[in-house]
Structure formats: structure tokens, C-alpha cells
Amino acid sequence: MKRLTEEKTKLVLEKLTNIGTNVKLLLDRPDGVYCFRERKGRVYYVSEKILSLASVVNPDKLASIGTCFGKFTKSGKFRLHITALYHLAPYAQHKIWVKPSAEQQFIYGHHISKSGLSRITENTPQYQGVVIFSTNNIPLGFGVTAKSTMDCKYADPMATICFHQADVGEYIRSEDSLI
Amino acid sequence: MSDNEDVMRGEQQKIKKKKLLNNDTKDEIDNYNDIEEYEQNGKIDNEEMNQNEDTDSSDNDVDLLPIEKANKKLRKKQEEEQKLAEEEMHEMTLQQSVFTFPTEKELAEVTNLKDVQQRIKDVIMVLSDFKKLRDVNRSRSEYMDLLRSDLCTYYSYNNFLMEKLMQIFPLDELLEFLEASEVQRPMTIRTNTLKTRRRDLAEALINRGVNLDPIGKWTKIGLVIYSSQVPMGATPEYLAGHYILQGASSFLPVMALDPKENEKILDMCAAPGGKSSHIASLMKNTGVIFSNDVNEERIKAVVGNFHRLGIVNSIVCTYDGRKLPSVSINDTYMNILNVIKSFDRVLLDAPCTGTGVVSKDPSVKTNKDEVDIQRCCTLQKELLLAAIDCVNARSESGGIIVYSTCSILPEENEWVVDHALKKRDVKLIPTGLEFGAEGFTSYRQYRFHPSLKLTKRFYPHVHNMDGFFVAKLKKFSNIIHKNKDAEEETLIIDNF
């Protein structure tokens, strides 16, 4: 369990703000101070109270603590994992809602096409990180818009309007590599 | 005396019958006369004819009124019927008691299962009224052996496990248990109260074509699934962490543990994380839950489930449960006062032989042996002592240990708890579960502590959930080896 270096902190924060998260809200919470810690290339988001208790556990024997937000890839980039969704979805500024018929497709790892689009936040620019919701407001995953809200209006029904990044289906598809 | 009376009665009846027979012949003659009269008179109303008949018969049989005569006739008929029925009954019992012990040759021959089933029924009947129905040359143990081997063939258990089960259950209950173990329990799910409510979840699932119902009055978060058009483990609600697939019996130990908010709780054998996540949701993500499991492969499921269900107060680790109390001693450079030994509550869902979940994993029927059970129960004893050592008796709200297994063998349950009662300063307290059978206080040659009736047992054939055992202990002091010292003292006294 080590603190993130400044460069890495920057990478993580950049990613989070791209989704629209106010990181300050994530760290100073009413129930205590939370922090980011790195372990084996994974970034964990955890309360400081729990962190101090976890220090008694031998690092070899520790499997997970708090919530895993993502990992640093071999090329040095930060990748958000689906496990961060629970914390990021409430803060998302740009959202996409998919139709029930397209729900299944998205959680199987496909991009979202115009025909599956139900709603989209207004004034979403192109290549903006978004959180995907089902019509009854269950968060389903992360994506990046392929078209801005304006362009979506005139897009072809089969045209991709949002690229898939992570979805809740990964809990089943890749349980082993999740953490 | 009674025999004599019977004989007397029989003779009386015979005399009566003779009389009746005479009457009958008279009647026939009467009738004959009537017809002659009728023919002679030419035209007579029916009523008149009846009157004629009555007067005629009264003429012939002065002692009896007509209605009495009819009554006698009827009684005779009834008696005959009764006699026949009795004979039939007698024959039946004769046939049943005629159940002959199969010869060795018959036993060696592979018969079809129906014959075996019939024989099981017959033997159980013989055993239920052994004095009357037994074959005089055969002992009870021979019948029991036959029954056991037949049950083994019919339900495909191995001899050892069947013997154990026969020692636990009376015969009729045994059959029920075996039958219930053949069928799957209904699929049940637990609502994740951190993310949704049961009513909302039920509504969402019904919209997906799932047929469901609440499990029962004893829990507010469980649903039982009768049928579903979609796979229950892959709906968007499941992936979003609104529920988890969990057996009804798995609710019980957590309900007995009764975790409170802001406590420090340890789950020693957590994988795959169902009970752990239940604890976390009861704590509403406050305090901290240590989820431990020795198996690194299975711990991945715990981590996955926790993230899916949105549990943030967890520390997941992979220690050997038996070594947990000594963790902080080994890592002395950590300046923390025995974190591991200061838990408010500990749940130990111990690894077991799984004799309660035969319907889930039928391989249990054949691959368990004396050695396996011994190994299991030694491990369980060590784990339970370790669990007790992890609890802080001075905790204000807790000091609670819950021990549970999915086995029904007393060796893995009552015996283990009894052992812990002797070794540590703990006492059993009521589990707080409304239903379930009481634990055994005596089993064959073993005599357990009387407070073991506070533990709870659950059976597939009674409660329609997996076989389960739950015991709730409260720790009263942190002193260890109290009893050991006492034993040594007594030894010393003996030597003097």
C-alpha cells in the first residue's frame, strides 16, 4: 500500500474529471477522509480508518481493500475499472440512457448505436467520458461519446454514438482479471 | 376369561344364525303362499299385497314383528360381511408377516430398484412392530444391516454415511430426509439493501418475466424464484448488484450474528462472500469487515461480489484461519495493539463434509469416510478456538461468535461446540432464530453440555432449506487455557 506519486495522481484525477467527478467530494466525505492507494499497479479508494486497520495484514495476504478504481497499464496509462462505477455514477455530469432492447448488447461489451439510444445529456461534446444508464436508472458502465449531442440527432440509426469502455457484464465475463 | 367369553359369544351367534336360517326358509314359503293368493285373487293393490304379506308372516312367525325380522336379516348380512373382511385382514397380515428374509443368493443377484424399494418398505414395517412381525431366527441387527444395504443401493450412498444418518434420524424421518436430499431446494436470492429495496427489486424482476415470492415471514430481504425466463445470474439488476444468489439457509448464521453499525467484524471462511456481504449490508457500510478465506482462487469471487454489491468497508485477506490470532504477534513491527484480537463479532462458517447439501453436490454420498469427518472436525475445532481468540470479550456491544456448518453430523457440530465450551470461557446463548430444531444434547455414547439445546439445526425435509447448523456463543473473558490448568491441578492432586 503506497501513496500515488504525483504523476500517477495526475493521471487518475484526469480520468476522473473526464467523467465529471468532483474529486474533492470523493475524498472529503461526511463519514471520514478517504484516500487513493496503489498496490501492485491497482488503485484502491479507501477510508483512512480502514486503511490503518489494514496495515496489520501482511501485504502478501491482502487481496483487496475498499474499492478498486482501476489500474495502470504497462504503457503507463490509467484505466478505469467497472468496479469504480458505484462511486462515480452519482457524480456523472454527462449521461447516456439506453433502451431496454439495447441494454443486453451493451452489457455484452458492444458499442451503443443510435437505434439503442434513449436519452443523452444535452450539450455533450464529442469524445467525452460518460456513464451509461438503463431506462430505469441502473448504472451499466462507462463509455466515450463518438458524436456530440447535436450530431446524434442527424446520425444514421446504425451509427455508433458511444464507444464501450467498461460494463457491468465484466463482473461475470472477467471476474479473474477484474481486480 | 376374555377368550372364554369370546367362545360363548360365538356359540350364541351360531344359535341365532340357525334361527335366522329357519326364519328365512319360512319367509320363502310365505312368499310362495302370497303369490298363490295373488294369483287366486286376480287383482290386488300393492299396499294390500304388503298387508297380506305382513299378516301372513305374522301368522307364521308369531314372536317377531316384521320390522324386527328385516332387522335380523340385515344384521346377518352385516355379520357375514364383517367376517369376510376379517378374513381378508388376517390373510393380509399373514402375507406381510410372511416377509421372508432374502437368502444370500437373492441378495447377491442384482434386482431392479422397485424390488429394493418394496423390500425397504417391508423391512421398515417389520422394524416398526418388531415383536410381532419378526422372523424369530433373525436379530434386529440383521434387519438393520439389510435395510442399510438396500438404502445404500436405492439412494446410492456409501455404507459409512448411511450408517451415520441412520444413527441421527429415526427410520421414518430418515426416509423423508433421503427423499428430500434427492430434490433441489428452490432458488433463492437476497436483496442488497445497500442499493435497493425488496419491493422495487421484485417489481423489476417481475417485469423481466420472473415468477417469485417472499421466502417467508422470518426475513424481509429474501425472495424465492419459482421460474424465470432469463438467467437469474445475468440480469442487469444482478450485474448492478441489486441482489445475490444465496441459499435460504445462508441467511441464518448472519441473522444469528446480528451485526451492528460501526462494529469490527471478522468472517473467517468468507468465500464466495454471500454471508460477508450480508453482514456488510446490515452494517450499512460502516465499521469494518475483515473477510478471510484461505483459498486464493475462491477469494476472487469474494472481491468480485463485494465490488458488484458496492461494499466499501471491507478488508479481504487470505490467511489460514487457524493462524489469524497470532498474526499481530508475528508482525511486531506494526505498532498496533492486536487489531486481530479485538473483533466485536466473528462469524465462522466452517468448512465441512456438506452432508446437509447432498442435493447440491451428490458426490458427498459416496466420497466421505470416517477419516474425512475426523479431519474436518479437527480443523473445525482449531478454527473455532481461533475464532474465539479473535474476539474481544470486553467489547461493549459484542463479544459474539457464531459457528455454522452445512453439515448435519453431530461430530462436526455439537461436538465441536462442546469442545470449545470446555477450552475457552464462552457460553452458548439463544440464536434469536424463531424456527429450527434444537441441537442434540446427547448422541449415542456422547453426552454434551445441556446448553447445547440452544443451538439450532435445520433439515431439508422439515424446513425446505439446506441442512444447516447454527450456534451462537458469547465470550466472557479473554483468559485462555483456563480449563487446561484446572485439569493439570487435578492431575497433581491425584499424584499426591
Side-chain angles (χ1 to χ4, degrees):
Chain A
M1 280 294 169
K2 51 189 177 190
R3 287 167 184 280
L4 296 169
T5 59
E6 236 166 69
E7 282 167 36
K8 285 183 171 173
T9 315
K10 219 174 137 192
L11 278 172
V12 174
L13 295 189
E14 204 176 285
K15 202 70 167 193
L16 293 179
T17 39
N18 187 28
I19 295 278
T21 318
N22 187 345
V23 181
K24 227 180 179 179
L25 287 179
L26 269 184
L27 296 182
D28 283 328
R29 291 181 19 168
D31 58 333
V33 180
Y34 280 65
C35 56
F36 289 106
R37 286 288 181 275
E38 188 198 345
R39 195 178 145 265
K40 291 184 184 168
R42 304 301 202 254
V43 176
Y44 290 91
Y45 168 73
V46 63
S47 152
E48 288 203 334
K49 258 189 283 174
I50 291 177
L51 188 70
S52 67
L53 287 174
S55 58
V56 79
V57 179
N58 187 333
D60 296 338
K61 298 284 187 186
L62 190 66
S64 158
I65 165 177
T67 313
C68 175
F69 258 39
K71 68 167 184 181
F72 290 106
T73 59
K74 297 275 191 291
S75 56
K77 284 176 185 143
F78 179 67
R79 224 186 109 116
L80 266 183
H81 275 173
I82 186 61
T83 46
L85 185 67
Y86 179 62
H87 296 276
L88 301 188
Y91 301 112
Q93 283 174 349
H94 299 281
K95 304 177 183 179
I96 285 182
W97 287 266
V98 293
K99 287 179 185 165
S101 53
E103 238 172 50
Q104 197 80 352
Q105 259 190 336
F106 179 72
I107 61 175
Y108 276 68
H110 299 289
H111 302 313
I112 300 171
S113 60
K114 168 80 189 296
S115 58
L117 179 70
S118 165
R119 273 199 294 162
I120 181 167
T121 315
E122 267 190 42
N123 298 326
T124 310
Q126 202 177 11
Y127 307 129
Q128 165 71 43
V130 290
V131 176
I132 319 289
F133 288 83
S134 74
T135 39
N136 40 3
N137 267 328
I138 300 173
L140 294 179
F142 303 119
V144 172
T145 50
K147 288 185 163 54
S148 66
T149 309
M150 280 303 285
D151 292 344
C152 278
K153 271 185 186 169
Y154 307 108
D156 182 69
M158 291 313 290
T160 303
I161 52 121
C162 179
F163 299 119
H164 164 269
Q165 273 192 325
D167 67 82
V168 286
E170 282 168 36
Y171 283 120
I172 297 180
R173 287 206 306 278
S174 47
E175 190 178 60
D176 288 351
S177 56
L178 202 59
I179 308 303
Chain B
M1 280 299 287
S2 61
D3 282 358
N4 279 339
E5 277 173 10
D6 278 347
V7 172
M8 290 281 278
R9 265 183 211 159
E11 278 178 0
Q12 280 174 352
Q13 275 175 356
K14 271 180 194 169
I15 293 163
K16 272 184 190 170
K17 265 175 214 163
K18 269 183 186 170
K19 271 186 183 172
L20 283 170
L21 275 171
N22 291 338
N23 284 342
D24 260 16
T25 46
K26 271 178 190 169
D27 279 354
E28 273 168 29
I29 293 162
D30 292 345
N31 284 342
Y32 191 60
N33 289 342
D34 284 346
I35 293 163
E36 271 183 346
E37 273 177 11
Y38 175 73
E39 278 170 356
Q40 281 168 5
N41 293 341
K43 46 171 184 177
I44 297 171
D45 283 340
N46 269 340
E47 276 180 33
E48 279 178 332
M49 190 193 95
N50 282 342
Q51 277 176 353
N52 270 340
E53 191 182 53
D54 285 347
T55 46
D56 276 358
S57 56
S58 58
D59 285 340
N60 290 337
D61 200 344
V62 190
D63 305 343
L64 293 172
L65 286 169
I67 200 155
E68 278 181 325
K69 225 175 56 178
N71 184 24
K72 270 192 176 174
K73 222 171 170 181
L74 199 68
R75 210 178 267 169
K76 190 192 137 200
K77 224 177 200 173
Q78 277 175 347
E79 265 167 17
E80 260 177 10
E81 267 168 19
Q82 210 176 344
K83 208 175 157 192
L84 276 175
E86 266 171 23
E87 266 173 23
E88 209 170 27
M89 274 284 284
H90 192 63
E91 263 174 43
M92 285 281 281
T93 47
L94 269 178
Q95 271 180 358
Q96 278 168 345
S97 61
V98 160
F99 165 72
T100 43
F101 215 82
T103 59
E104 277 181 29
K105 199 177 152 197
E106 272 173 3
L107 283 176
E109 275 173 16
V110 185
T111 45
N112 64 352
L113 278 180
K114 264 201 173 157
D115 293 350
V116 177
Q117 194 189 11
Q118 187 57 46
R119 197 158 67 200
I120 291 170
K121 274 184 195 161
D122 291 344
V123 174
I124 285 181
M125 205 197 57
V126 172
L127 287 169
S128 67
D129 194 357
F130 194 62
K131 219 174 179 181
K132 249 188 195 173
L133 303 174
R134 68 180 285 192
D135 182 346
V136 191
N137 303 324
R138 301 282 180 171
S139 67
R140 181 179 273 274
S141 64
E142 275 176 287
Y143 276 100
M144 290 302 266
D145 285 344
L146 175 70
L147 179 64
R148 195 180 64 229
S149 67
D150 278 350
L151 286 173
C152 285
T153 11
Y154 190 70
Y155 293 100
S156 58
Y157 279 74
N158 68 2
N159 234 333
F160 168 74
L161 188 58
M162 189 53 81
E163 198 178 322
K164 285 275 169 206
L165 292 177
M166 286 171 87
Q167 286 162 1
I168 297 174
F169 295 113
L171 284 177
D172 46 341
E173 212 181 331
L174 174 73
L175 270 194
E176 276 175 42
F177 171 79
L178 293 173
E179 280 298 332
S181 291
E182 293 296 297
V183 271
Q184 289 273 337
R185 299 298 113 219
M187 182 198 270
T188 49
I189 61 173
R190 179 174 59 77
T191 321
N192 181 18
T193 45
L194 294 173
K195 288 195 171 180
T196 186
R197 286 178 302 172
R198 184 167 75 169
R199 202 197 307 166
D200 298 340
L201 175 69
E203 209 178 288
L205 288 176
I206 286 169
N207 285 339
R208 292 197 187 278
V210 180
N211 186 3
L212 48 76
D213 241 348
I215 288 186
K217 279 184 185 148
W218 51 274
T219 175
K220 285 189 171 138
I221 51 172
L223 288 169
V224 54
I225 309 293
Y226 296 120
S227 65
S228 158
Q229 291 166 8
V230 285
M232 287 307 292
T235 62
E237 278 81 15
Y238 175 82
L239 295 170
H242 288 188
Y243 65 90
I244 182 169
L245 302 177
Q246 198 177 27
S249 55
S250 300
F251 290 52
L252 304 170
V254 181
M255 287 166 69
L257 189 70
D258 191 23
K260 301 278 191 301
E261 285 173 41
N262 291 313
E263 280 185 331
K264 229 165 65 174
I265 297 186
L266 168 69
D267 184 356
M268 278 187 123
C269 308
K275 295 181 193 76
S276 266
S277 56
H278 191 179
I279 294 173
S281 71
L282 286 178
M283 291 201 291
K284 303 200 174 98
N285 259 340
T286 60
V288 63
I289 170 140
F290 276 69
S291 293
N292 180 69
D293 200 286
V294 70
N295 188 332
E296 286 186 24
E297 278 306 305
R298 275 159 63 83
I299 209 79
K300 281 177 185 165
V302 180
V303 177
N305 273 329
F306 275 17
H307 279 90
R308 188 170 57 79
L309 297 167
I311 288 157
V312 297
N313 60 343
S314 66
I315 296 172
V316 186
C317 45
T318 56
Y319 281 104
D320 182 339
R322 289 169 290 183
K323 290 176 186 138
L324 265 176
S326 54
V327 163
S328 46
I329 298 165
N330 291 343
D331 302 352
T332 40
Y333 60 91
M334 295 289 183
N335 189 18
I336 288 165
L337 266 175
N338 282 357
V339 171
I340 290 293
K341 284 196 175 181
S342 61
F343 285 104
D344 296 311
R345 289 160 202 267
V346 174
L347 172 65
L348 173 60
D349 184 37
C352 64
T353 53
T355 45
V357 288
V358 175
S359 55
K360 252 190 219 163
D361 177 18
S363 66
V364 175
K365 287 179 185 179
T366 46
N367 65 8
K368 292 290 176 250
D369 211 342
E370 184 80 58
V371 191
D372 293 298
I373 289 178
Q374 243 164 32
R375 247 183 233 140
C376 258
C377 101
T378 325
L379 175 65
Q380 284 157 348
K381 280 176 185 169
E382 283 173 321
L383 279 172
L384 183 55
L385 292 188
I388 294 170
D389 291 344
C390 286
V391 172
N392 180 13
R394 284 189 283 272
S395 152
E396 280 175 21
S397 56
I400 302 288
I401 304 104
V402 167
Y403 174 80
S404 67
T405 63
C406 58
S407 171
I408 51 164
L409 300 180
E411 284 89 343
E412 296 180 80
N413 298 325
E414 280 88 349
W415 204 22
V416 175
V417 177
D418 195 53
H419 177 256
L421 288 177
K422 284 177 194 152
K423 291 280 178 186
R424 296 286 188 274
D425 189 13
V426 288
K427 286 200 175 95
L428 278 164
I429 55 173
T431 53
L433 302 169
E434 295 150 12
F435 59 110
E438 281 180 2
F440 299 150
T441 49
S442 63
Y443 166 67
R444 304 187 65 217
Q445 75 271 36
Y446 307 114
R447 294 292 171 271
F448 304 122
H449 194 270
S451 65
L452 267 153
K453 71 169 189 287
L454 292 175
T455 61
K456 290 281 184 188
R457 292 177 148 261
F458 300 89
Y459 297 121
H461 57 284
V462 185
H463 308 101
N464 197 20
M465 54 175 74
D466 295 324
F468 221 78
F469 173 83
V470 180
K472 186 174 181 179
L473 298 152
K474 184 162 171 59
K475 190 171 175 180
F476 283 89
S477 73
N478 290 336
I479 306 162
I480 302 178
H481 306 307
K482 191 179 127 202
N483 276 35
K484 210 176 177 187
D485 293 345
E487 273 171 27
E488 278 169 8
E489 274 175 23
T490 51
L491 275 179
I492 293 163
I493 293 163
D494 284 348
N495 286 340
F496 280 104

